[in-house]
Amino acid sequence: MKTITVQSLTEKFHLEVLAGASRMDRVITRPRAHRPGLEFVGYFDFFPMERVQVLGRKEVNYLLTLTLEERKLHIGNIVKYHPPCFIVTSGQQEIPYLTLFCDQEGIPLLRTKETTTEFIAKLDSYLVKALAPEISIHGVCVNVSGIGILLRGKSGIGKSETAHTLIRRGHRLVADDIVVLKKLGPTTLLGTHNETTREFLSLRSIGLINVVRQYGRRAFQDETRIVLDIELASWRENSLNNELELEPQFTEYLGIKIPHIEVQLQPGRDVAGLIEAAANNWYLKQHGYSAAEEFMQRIDNKMQ
C-alpha cells in the first residue's frame, strides 16, 4: 500500500503548522479528504477516520455556536479516532480546543489561506495520484493529438525514434524508457515519468536529448491518460491481412484493459503516420463512427 506523510503534504501545499509538529511523520493512506459534519453532532457510524479531515467555515462556525463544554466534547470525540491530520481552511483563527487536543494526541493541525472548495479540489486531485497503485514498465509514452499512447517493443526496435518523429510532427513526449502507470479508477490508467527521465529522450547513434530544450515546451507534458497500447514488432511475411476491421485485442495493466495494436516495422513504412491514424481512429470510435460500418452500408445501399 502506498502512503505519504503529513510532512510531505505540508510541504506540497505550503501549510502552516499549528499543533502536533512532533508527529509530522504520520502517514496518509486514503485518497480524498473528509469534512466532519455529522461527526460533530455525534454520528460516527461511517466516519472515514483514515482520511485527512478538513474544517471549513461551516464546521468552525458551528463549533463557535456551542458552549465551551459542548465544544470540548464534540472535538474530543473526533480527535480520539486519530485521523492523519486536521486542516483548517480560509486562514481561520478561531479554532477552539483543536490546538489543545491535537497537541495532546500528537495529531498535526494545519492551516491554509485557500477557501475550502478550492483547497479540497486540489488536495483530492493530489492524493488520488500520489496514493494510486502503480507499476513501471519499459516503453515510451506519448500524447498524440490529446490521446495517450503507450509504445512498447523489444529494445532497439525503434520506440524512441518513432516518438521523436511524432514530436517533430507536433505531438508530445510523456516518458521514455521507463513509463510509470498509475491506476486512478476502475477504467482510468495514467501514464507519467519517474522524474529522473523527465523531458529526456534517448536516441541511438545520437544520445540523450532534452525535447523541451530542442523543440520547446509544447514537446512535453507530465502525464496523460493511456487509451491505446501499441506494440512495435519486426516484420513477418504474410502475417498482415488487409481486413476491413481487425478483431479487438487488449493488454491489461493493473486490472485495466487497454486496446492493443501491433505495428510491424519495415523500411519505408510511415510508423509515426500509422500511430497518428490509430489515435484518430480510436477517437472516432469513441464518438460512434466506424469506417468499416460505413463502407459496408455503402455496399448494401448499392446492392439494394
Side-chain angles (χ1 to χ4, degrees):
M1 177 184 295
K2 291 189 66 180
T3 64
I4 60 173
T5 65
V6 174
Q7 179 65 44
S8 64
L9 189 70
T10 302
E11 294 171 356
K12 170 70 177 178
F13 292 98
H14 308 290
L15 302 175
E16 180 184 0
V17 181
L18 303 176
S22 63
R23 290 304 315 276
M24 299 296 285
D25 59 343
R26 290 176 64 89
V27 296
I28 301 167
T29 61
R30 295 283 301 279
R32 306 193 188 283
H34 175 68
R35 297 182 69 175
L38 290 174
E39 292 76 20
F40 276 136
V41 296
Y43 187 77
F44 288 92
D45 285 3
F46 300 98
F47 179 41
M49 54 189 169
E50 307 93 346
R51 295 184 180 180
V52 173
Q53 306 297 311
V54 176
L55 305 181
R57 290 192 181 277
K58 287 192 297 185
E59 291 78 16
V60 173
N61 286 341
Y62 169 73
L63 291 173
L64 293 174
T65 65
L66 304 176
T67 65
L68 290 177
E69 286 303 314
E70 287 174 331
R71 292 176 199 170
K72 183 177 180 180
L73 175 65
H74 290 312
I75 294 173
N77 284 341
I78 290 182
V79 172
K80 71 181 182 182
Y81 281 93
H82 285 252
C85 65
F86 290 94
I87 302 177
V88 178
T89 61
S90 304
Q92 298 176 91
Q93 303 292 323
E94 295 186 84
I95 42 178
Y97 283 107
L98 269 173
T99 304
L100 174 64
F101 276 99
C102 287
D103 265 332
Q104 288 179 348
E105 299 294 330
I107 301 173
L109 174 61
L110 314 170
R111 182 162 59 196
T112 177
K113 294 181 180 179
E114 293 191 68
T115 64
T116 308
T117 303
E118 292 176 348
F119 179 72
I120 287 182
K122 293 178 182 179
L123 178 61
D124 283 351
S125 177
Y126 169 73
L127 290 177
V128 167
K129 292 178 182 178
L131 298 175
E134 67 177 49
I135 57 172
S136 296
I137 67 167
H138 175 67
V140 177
C141 182
V142 290
N143 183 282
V144 177
S145 300
I147 296 168
I149 296 176
L150 189 62
L151 297 179
R152 296 186 299 109
K154 293 181 179 179
S155 181
I157 197 71
K159 301 182 294 296
S160 298
E161 289 82 355
T162 301
H164 181 254
T165 302
L166 289 168
I167 291 168
R168 287 177 56 83
R169 293 186 180 187
H171 306 296
R172 296 177 176 180
L173 174 72
V174 176
D176 181 41
D177 191 33
I178 298 174
V179 181
V180 179
L181 300 178
K182 297 188 176 187
K183 182 178 181 179
L184 300 189
T187 61
T188 304
L189 190 69
L190 189 76
T192 186
H193 50 80
N194 67 350
E195 291 296 338
T196 304
T197 60
R198 188 177 190 271
E199 300 177 356
F200 288 127
L201 184 67
S202 179
L203 300 174
R204 291 175 184 265
S205 303
I206 302 298
L208 207 61
I209 69 169
N210 184 309
V211 298
V212 172
R213 294 294 183 93
Q214 285 215 18
Y215 301 111
R217 176 52 53 188
R218 64 175 180 79
F220 174 81
Q221 68 181 59
D222 270 311
E223 57 191 32
T224 188
R225 181 186 176 189
I226 303 294
V227 298
L228 276 179
D229 176 74
I230 297 181
E231 182 178 1
L232 303 184
S234 300
W235 182 265
R236 299 191 301 276
E237 290 293 339
N238 303 318
S239 64
L240 296 181
N241 298 313
N242 192 24
E243 301 176 11
L244 294 182
E245 192 160 34
L246 298 175
E247 188 71 22
Q249 302 291 326
F250 298 91
T251 306
E252 189 170 307
Y253 300 102
L254 295 168
I256 299 176
K257 290 185 176 181
I258 304 297
H260 169 81
I261 299 172
E262 182 185 74
V263 175
Q264 295 184 18
L265 307 184
Q266 188 182 49
R269 284 201 103 189
D270 181 8
V271 179
L274 291 174
I275 292 172
E276 289 176 320
N280 292 332
N281 200 43
W282 176 89
Y283 177 81
L284 290 172
K285 285 183 178 180
Q286 303 312 299
H287 289 76
Y289 174 78
S290 168
E293 289 180 7
E294 183 183 4
F295 180 75
M296 294 304 298
Q297 185 63 49
R298 290 183 185 179
I299 292 178
D300 289 343
N301 292 339
K302 283 186 173 294
M303 292 179 65
Q304 291 174 6

PDB file of all heavy atoms in Angstrom, residues 2 128-135 180-185 188-192 254 256:
ATOM      1  N   LYS A   2       0.557   2.184  -0.911  1.00  0.00           N
ATOM      2  CA  LYS A   2       1.323   3.417  -0.976  1.00  0.00           C
ATOM      3  C   LYS A   2       0.870   4.366   0.133  1.00  0.00           C
ATOM      4  O   LYS A   2      -0.305   4.407   0.500  1.00  0.00           O
ATOM      5  CB  LYS A   2       1.128   4.084  -2.331  1.00  0.00           C
ATOM      6  CG  LYS A   2       1.750   3.328  -3.490  1.00  0.00           C
ATOM      7  CD  LYS A   2       1.695   4.163  -4.749  1.00  0.00           C
ATOM      8  CE  LYS A   2       2.558   5.402  -4.627  1.00  0.00           C
ATOM      9  NZ  LYS A   2       2.524   6.233  -5.854  1.00  0.00           N
ATOM     10  N   VAL A 128      -5.268  11.423  -4.874  1.00  0.00           N
ATOM     11  CA  VAL A 128      -5.638  10.322  -5.773  1.00  0.00           C
ATOM     12  C   VAL A 128      -4.433   9.859  -6.583  1.00  0.00           C
ATOM     13  O   VAL A 128      -4.184   8.656  -6.739  1.00  0.00           O
ATOM     14  CB  VAL A 128      -6.790  10.751  -6.705  1.00  0.00           C
ATOM     15  CG1 VAL A 128      -6.954   9.751  -7.850  1.00  0.00           C
ATOM     16  CG2 VAL A 128      -8.096  10.846  -5.930  1.00  0.00           C
ATOM     17  N   LYS A 129      -3.654  10.805  -7.089  1.00  0.00           N
ATOM     18  CA  LYS A 129      -2.477  10.445  -7.886  1.00  0.00           C
ATOM     19  C   LYS A 129      -1.337   9.923  -7.023  1.00  0.00           C
ATOM     20  O   LYS A 129      -0.669   8.950  -7.373  1.00  0.00           O
ATOM     21  CB  LYS A 129      -2.005  11.652  -8.698  1.00  0.00           C
ATOM     22  CG  LYS A 129      -2.973  12.075  -9.788  1.00  0.00           C
ATOM     23  CD  LYS A 129      -2.480  13.309 -10.516  1.00  0.00           C
ATOM     24  CE  LYS A 129      -3.476  13.752 -11.575  1.00  0.00           C
ATOM     25  NZ  LYS A 129      -3.034  14.981 -12.276  1.00  0.00           N
ATOM     26  N   ALA A 130      -1.120  10.565  -5.878  1.00  0.00           N
ATOM     27  CA  ALA A 130       0.005  10.177  -5.021  1.00  0.00           C
ATOM     28  C   ALA A 130      -0.183   8.794  -4.413  1.00  0.00           C
ATOM     29  O   ALA A 130       0.795   8.076  -4.176  1.00  0.00           O
ATOM     30  CB  ALA A 130       0.185  11.209  -3.907  1.00  0.00           C
ATOM     31  N   LEU A 131      -1.432   8.391  -4.156  1.00  0.00           N
ATOM     32  CA  LEU A 131      -1.705   7.112  -3.492  1.00  0.00           C
ATOM     33  C   LEU A 131      -2.178   6.034  -4.461  1.00  0.00           C
ATOM     34  O   LEU A 131      -2.503   4.925  -4.031  1.00  0.00           O
ATOM     35  CB  LEU A 131      -2.750   7.319  -2.395  1.00  0.00           C
ATOM     36  CG  LEU A 131      -2.336   8.265  -1.258  1.00  0.00           C
ATOM     37  CD1 LEU A 131      -3.493   8.491  -0.300  1.00  0.00           C
ATOM     38  CD2 LEU A 131      -1.125   7.721  -0.510  1.00  0.00           C
ATOM     39  N   ALA A 132      -2.224   6.336  -5.731  1.00  0.00           N
ATOM     40  CA  ALA A 132      -2.709   5.367  -6.712  1.00  0.00           C
ATOM     41  C   ALA A 132      -1.755   4.183  -6.840  1.00  0.00           C
ATOM     42  O   ALA A 132      -0.531   4.359  -6.819  1.00  0.00           O
ATOM     43  CB  ALA A 132      -2.863   6.047  -8.071  1.00  0.00           C
ATOM     44  N   PRO A 133      -2.293   2.962  -7.005  1.00  0.00           N
ATOM     45  CA  PRO A 133      -1.433   1.804  -7.292  1.00  0.00           C
ATOM     46  C   PRO A 133      -0.666   2.056  -8.583  1.00  0.00           C
ATOM     47  O   PRO A 133      -1.214   2.623  -9.535  1.00  0.00           O
ATOM     48  CB  PRO A 133      -2.444   0.657  -7.466  1.00  0.00           C
ATOM     49  CG  PRO A 133      -3.688   1.115  -6.778  1.00  0.00           C
ATOM     50  CD  PRO A 133      -3.723   2.599  -6.941  1.00  0.00           C
ATOM     51  N   GLU A 134       0.592   1.653  -8.625  1.00  0.00           N
ATOM     52  CA  GLU A 134       1.385   1.936  -9.818  1.00  0.00           C
ATOM     53  C   GLU A 134       2.377   0.829 -10.129  1.00  0.00           C
ATOM     54  O   GLU A 134       2.759   0.050  -9.260  1.00  0.00           O
ATOM     55  CB  GLU A 134       2.133   3.266  -9.674  1.00  0.00           C
ATOM     56  CG  GLU A 134       3.218   3.260  -8.620  1.00  0.00           C
ATOM     57  CD  GLU A 134       3.987   4.582  -8.576  1.00  0.00           C
ATOM     58  OE1 GLU A 134       3.342   5.643  -8.531  1.00  0.00           O
ATOM     59  OE2 GLU A 134       5.239   4.527  -8.572  1.00  0.00           O
ATOM     60  N   ILE A 135       2.761   0.768 -11.392  1.00  0.00           N
ATOM     61  CA  ILE A 135       3.813  -0.140 -11.852  1.00  0.00           C
ATOM     62  C   ILE A 135       4.687   0.634 -12.827  1.00  0.00           C
ATOM     63  O   ILE A 135       4.262   1.645 -13.393  1.00  0.00           O
ATOM     64  CB  ILE A 135       3.260  -1.412 -12.539  1.00  0.00           C
ATOM     65  CG1 ILE A 135       2.359  -1.018 -13.726  1.00  0.00           C
ATOM     66  CG2 ILE A 135       2.527  -2.298 -11.552  1.00  0.00           C
ATOM     67  CD1 ILE A 135       1.925  -2.208 -14.570  1.00  0.00           C
ATOM     68  N   VAL A 180       5.812   5.098 -15.926  1.00  0.00           N
ATOM     69  CA  VAL A 180       5.104   4.807 -14.687  1.00  0.00           C
ATOM     70  C   VAL A 180       3.604   4.835 -14.979  1.00  0.00           C
ATOM     71  O   VAL A 180       3.081   5.847 -15.463  1.00  0.00           O
ATOM     72  CB  VAL A 180       5.446   5.831 -13.578  1.00  0.00           C
ATOM     73  CG1 VAL A 180       4.663   5.511 -12.306  1.00  0.00           C
ATOM     74  CG2 VAL A 180       6.947   5.812 -13.299  1.00  0.00           C
ATOM     75  N   LEU A 181       2.923   3.717 -14.684  1.00  0.00           N
ATOM     76  CA  LEU A 181       1.483   3.624 -14.897  1.00  0.00           C
ATOM     77  C   LEU A 181       0.771   3.659 -13.555  1.00  0.00           C
ATOM     78  O   LEU A 181       1.127   2.914 -12.635  1.00  0.00           O
ATOM     79  CB  LEU A 181       1.137   2.323 -15.631  1.00  0.00           C
ATOM     80  CG  LEU A 181       1.776   2.135 -17.014  1.00  0.00           C
ATOM     81  CD1 LEU A 181       1.386   0.780 -17.580  1.00  0.00           C
ATOM     82  CD2 LEU A 181       1.351   3.255 -17.959  1.00  0.00           C
ATOM     83  N   LYS A 182      -0.236   4.530 -13.431  1.00  0.00           N
ATOM     84  CA  LYS A 182      -0.989   4.667 -12.191  1.00  0.00           C
ATOM     85  C   LYS A 182      -2.462   4.395 -12.446  1.00  0.00           C
ATOM     86  O   LYS A 182      -3.040   4.910 -13.407  1.00  0.00           O
ATOM     87  CB  LYS A 182      -0.824   6.073 -11.611  1.00  0.00           C
ATOM     88  CG  LYS A 182       0.600   6.416 -11.206  1.00  0.00           C
ATOM     89  CD  LYS A 182       0.647   7.750 -10.473  1.00  0.00           C
ATOM     90  CE  LYS A 182       2.053   8.054  -9.971  1.00  0.00           C
ATOM     91  NZ  LYS A 182       2.082   9.264  -9.117  1.00  0.00           N
ATOM     92  N   LYS A 183      -3.057   3.614 -11.564  1.00  0.00           N
ATOM     93  CA  LYS A 183      -4.489   3.312 -11.670  1.00  0.00           C
ATOM     94  C   LYS A 183      -5.265   4.334 -10.852  1.00  0.00           C
ATOM     95  O   LYS A 183      -5.270   4.298  -9.631  1.00  0.00           O
ATOM     96  CB  LYS A 183      -4.765   1.894 -11.159  1.00  0.00           C
ATOM     97  CG  LYS A 183      -6.223   1.480 -11.275  1.00  0.00           C
ATOM     98  CD  LYS A 183      -6.424   0.057 -10.789  1.00  0.00           C
ATOM     99  CE  LYS A 183      -7.872  -0.366 -10.937  1.00  0.00           C
ATOM    100  NZ  LYS A 183      -8.081  -1.772 -10.477  1.00  0.00           N
ATOM    101  N   LEU A 184      -5.955   5.256 -11.540  1.00  0.00           N
ATOM    102  CA  LEU A 184      -6.699   6.302 -10.862  1.00  0.00           C
ATOM    103  C   LEU A 184      -8.155   5.926 -10.613  1.00  0.00           C
ATOM    104  O   LEU A 184      -8.846   6.584  -9.848  1.00  0.00           O
ATOM    105  CB  LEU A 184      -6.652   7.604 -11.654  1.00  0.00           C
ATOM    106  CG  LEU A 184      -5.269   8.199 -11.911  1.00  0.00           C
ATOM    107  CD1 LEU A 184      -5.401   9.586 -12.505  1.00  0.00           C
ATOM    108  CD2 LEU A 184      -4.444   8.253 -10.627  1.00  0.00           C
ATOM    109  N   GLY A 185      -8.615   4.889 -11.268  1.00  0.00           N
ATOM    110  CA  GLY A 185     -10.002   4.445 -11.108  1.00  0.00           C
ATOM    111  C   GLY A 185     -10.187   3.119 -11.819  1.00  0.00           C
ATOM    112  O   GLY A 185      -9.238   2.579 -12.398  1.00  0.00           O
ATOM    113  N   THR A 188      -9.436   4.028 -15.498  1.00  0.00           N
ATOM    114  CA  THR A 188      -8.529   5.144 -15.815  1.00  0.00           C
ATOM    115  C   THR A 188      -7.089   4.791 -15.484  1.00  0.00           C
ATOM    116  O   THR A 188      -6.745   4.549 -14.326  1.00  0.00           O
ATOM    117  CB  THR A 188      -8.928   6.414 -15.049  1.00  0.00           C
ATOM    118  OG1 THR A 188     -10.288   6.741 -15.347  1.00  0.00           O
ATOM    119  CG2 THR A 188      -8.044   7.580 -15.454  1.00  0.00           C
ATOM    120  N   LEU A 189      -6.250   4.759 -16.517  1.00  0.00           N
ATOM    121  CA  LEU A 189      -4.831   4.452 -16.370  1.00  0.00           C
ATOM    122  C   LEU A 189      -4.028   5.681 -16.783  1.00  0.00           C
ATOM    123  O   LEU A 189      -4.154   6.178 -17.902  1.00  0.00           O
ATOM    124  CB  LEU A 189      -4.454   3.263 -17.254  1.00  0.00           C
ATOM    125  CG  LEU A 189      -3.061   2.663 -17.058  1.00  0.00           C
ATOM    126  CD1 LEU A 189      -2.973   1.958 -15.705  1.00  0.00           C
ATOM    127  CD2 LEU A 189      -2.733   1.684 -18.182  1.00  0.00           C
ATOM    128  N   LEU A 190      -3.223   6.180 -15.874  1.00  0.00           N
ATOM    129  CA  LEU A 190      -2.415   7.380 -16.123  1.00  0.00           C
ATOM    130  C   LEU A 190      -0.980   6.979 -16.420  1.00  0.00           C
ATOM    131  O   LEU A 190      -0.399   6.146 -15.725  1.00  0.00           O
ATOM    132  CB  LEU A 190      -2.454   8.300 -14.905  1.00  0.00           C
ATOM    133  CG  LEU A 190      -1.842   9.693 -15.099  1.00  0.00           C
ATOM    134  CD1 LEU A 190      -2.793  10.581 -15.891  1.00  0.00           C
ATOM    135  CD2 LEU A 190      -1.542  10.328 -13.751  1.00  0.00           C
ATOM    136  N   GLY A 191      -0.403   7.574 -17.443  1.00  0.00           N
ATOM    137  CA  GLY A 191       0.994   7.352 -17.771  1.00  0.00           C
ATOM    138  C   GLY A 191       1.811   8.581 -17.445  1.00  0.00           C
ATOM    139  O   GLY A 191       1.402   9.706 -17.753  1.00  0.00           O
ATOM    140  N   THR A 192       2.967   8.387 -16.806  1.00  0.00           N
ATOM    141  CA  THR A 192       3.834   9.514 -16.474  1.00  0.00           C
ATOM    142  C   THR A 192       5.284   9.030 -16.434  1.00  0.00           C
ATOM    143  O   THR A 192       5.576   7.864 -16.713  1.00  0.00           O
ATOM    144  CB  THR A 192       3.410  10.151 -15.126  1.00  0.00           C
ATOM    145  OG1 THR A 192       4.192  11.330 -14.895  1.00  0.00           O
ATOM    146  CG2 THR A 192       3.598   9.182 -13.972  1.00  0.00           C
ATOM    147  N   LEU A 254      -2.673  -3.349 -14.344  1.00  0.00           N
ATOM    148  CA  LEU A 254      -3.300  -3.050 -13.059  1.00  0.00           C
ATOM    149  C   LEU A 254      -4.806  -3.324 -13.082  1.00  0.00           C
ATOM    150  O   LEU A 254      -5.598  -2.624 -12.469  1.00  0.00           O
ATOM    151  CB  LEU A 254      -3.042  -1.590 -12.667  1.00  0.00           C
ATOM    152  CG  LEU A 254      -1.582  -1.215 -12.392  1.00  0.00           C
ATOM    153  CD1 LEU A 254      -1.431   0.303 -12.296  1.00  0.00           C
ATOM    154  CD2 LEU A 254      -1.093  -1.880 -11.112  1.00  0.00           C
ATOM    155  N   ILE A 256      -6.779  -3.033 -15.658  1.00  0.00           N
ATOM    156  CA  ILE A 256      -7.486  -2.206 -16.642  1.00  0.00           C
ATOM    157  C   ILE A 256      -7.110  -2.681 -18.047  1.00  0.00           C
ATOM    158  O   ILE A 256      -5.926  -2.770 -18.379  1.00  0.00           O
ATOM    159  CB  ILE A 256      -7.129  -0.723 -16.475  1.00  0.00           C
ATOM    160  CG1 ILE A 256      -7.538  -0.235 -15.085  1.00  0.00           C
ATOM    161  CG2 ILE A 256      -7.803   0.120 -17.557  1.00  0.00           C
ATOM    162  CD1 ILE A 256      -7.125   1.201 -14.800  1.00  0.00           C
TER     163      ILE A 256
END
